[in-house]
Amino acid sequence: MARITGWVHEAAFVGLADLESCEVYAAGPPAMIAALQREYAARGASSCRLYFDSFDYAADTLERQRMSAVTKS
């Protein structure tokens, strides 16, 4: 079996030509969810079959947001 690297959705989409018949459930960091949304749309799939939980409010994410705000001011 070949080793697959990258985002989870990239590996899951390998060999799937038609996402329109799939419901996709995902949870993860904001960058991964944004990438998944872009890929889903690029494949012409309906966003009403895409369900996700972005970890925007995880403790480490909030800390990074605070640090970013401090460095910008």
Side-chain angles (χ1 to χ4, degrees), residues 34-45:
L36 171 60
Q37 290 173 304
R38 285 190 302 273
E39 179 71 17
Y40 210 68
R43 290 173 170 247

Side-chain angles (χ1 to χ4, degrees), residues 19-73:
L19 287 179
E20 196 57 40
S21 63
C22 300
E23 287 188 340
V24 174
Y25 296 81
M32 185 189 80
I33 298 300
L36 171 60
Q37 290 173 304
R38 285 190 302 273
E39 179 71 17
Y40 210 68
R43 290 173 170 247
S46 171
S47 63
C48 70
R49 297 181 71 110
L50 175 60
Y51 306 92
F52 59 88
D53 183 11
S54 180
F55 298 162
D56 294 332
Y57 299 103
D60 66 324
T61 301
L62 291 174
E63 184 59 30
R64 278 182 288 177
Q65 289 172 349
R66 283 189 207 103
M67 295 301 288
S68 178
V70 167
T71 59
K72 289 179 182 176
S73 53

Side-chain angles (χ1 to χ4, degrees), residues 7-19:
W7 292 110
V8 171
H9 72 275
E10 293 170 340
F13 291 167
V14 169
L16 287 176
D18 178 23
L19 287 179

